[in-house]
Amino acid sequence: MTDNHTERAQTQIDFTIGISVFLGAIIFIFVFAPGILTPFTITGQSEAVTVDRTADYLAQDTLGSPDEPYILDRGCTVAFFDRADDEDPDTNDDTCRYDDKPLNEQLGLADYRAVNITLRANLTGGSGLSQLYWDEDDRELTTDESVGDVELTIGDPLEQQRSTTTATRIVTLAGEDVTMEVVVS
């Protein structure tokens, strides 16, 4: 008597194809699932956009004129940095393109962000950049803290252990090439 088998047993080729499809599906999930969720996670790119936007806003609009970007108005720039020490920051005249709001609100930054804006230059011809000050008596930029009336920095110094993002712009102030450094944490 012959036995007609209508059922077939699993062969090695069937097993290999099944395992390959299963492993392919697992690999697909691990490779592409994080990409699907990326728009909902916070990345460092948002800080880069924020600090670049802030630096451009200051260099191209707020401290100068959109008609002459990167050329800072001396009076408005000095008043912008000098208001950090004023109890009543009413130093803005009608020609300046900013108002007397708190710094984060002025720059459109959330309250939890820390920001520091500093102007530096090499006025002596040596190496490296030095902190700039405005000397009201001589009406010029200086790196000498003892004669400088207004320190051209605003915002709290940011702690080194915090994650920060920095943008720099080369601008002109009082006829000098100056580096504006914007740091956001």
Side-chain angles (χ1 to χ4, degrees):
M1 177 158 152
T2 41
D3 215 94
N4 289 339
H5 293 289
T6 57
E7 293 182 28
R8 195 179 91 174
Q10 182 180 28
T11 62
Q12 283 186 345
I13 191 91
D14 294 335
F15 180 75
T16 305
I17 291 172
I19 291 296
S20 298
V21 169
F22 176 74
L23 290 176
I26 295 296
I27 291 171
F28 178 83
I29 289 170
F30 280 112
V31 170
F32 292 105
I36 294 169
L37 301 174
T38 298
F40 305 107
T41 60
I42 297 174
T43 64
Q45 291 177 344
S46 64
E47 285 91 16
V49 170
T50 299
V51 75
D52 277 335
R53 180 184 52 84
T54 302
D56 286 339
Y57 173 71
L58 291 168
Q60 297 177 7
D61 186 30
T62 303
L63 300 179
S65 167
D67 298 331
E68 295 180 303
Y70 303 105
I71 299 176
L72 305 184
D73 179 88
R74 180 199 49 79
C76 291
T77 301
V78 171
F80 180 81
F81 286 100
D82 193 29
R83 72 186 180 150
D85 296 329
D86 290 346
E87 303 223 348
D88 179 21
D90 192 20
T91 57
N92 184 3
D93 63 20
D94 292 336
T95 61
C96 297
R97 301 179 54 83
Y98 61 89
D99 52 23
D100 296 322
K101 297 177 183 174
L103 186 59
N104 279 27
E105 188 177 336
Q106 171 69 43
L107 299 174
L109 299 174
D111 289 336
Y112 66 87
R113 293 210 185 264
V115 63
N116 180 281
I117 303 158
T118 303
L119 297 183
R120 302 182 198 286
N122 183 351
L123 301 179
T124 60
S127 64
L129 301 174
S130 300
Q131 170 66 52
L132 288 178
Y133 301 87
W134 180 254
D135 183 2
E136 286 290 340
D137 296 332
D138 293 336
R139 314 239 349 121
E140 66 182 5
L141 293 170
T142 182
T143 57
D144 186 358
E145 183 179 1
S146 64
V147 297
D149 298 307
V150 178
E151 182 179 17
L152 299 180
T153 188
I154 191 169
D156 295 326
L158 300 178
E159 302 149 8
Q160 293 297 327
Q161 68 268 21
R162 293 180 73 176
S163 173
T164 61
T165 306
T166 304
T168 57
R169 300 291 185 269
I170 305 300
V171 296
T172 301
L173 176 62
E176 299 286 342
D177 289 336
V178 172
T179 299
M180 179 174 55
E181 183 179 88
V182 179
V183 182
V184 174
S185 173

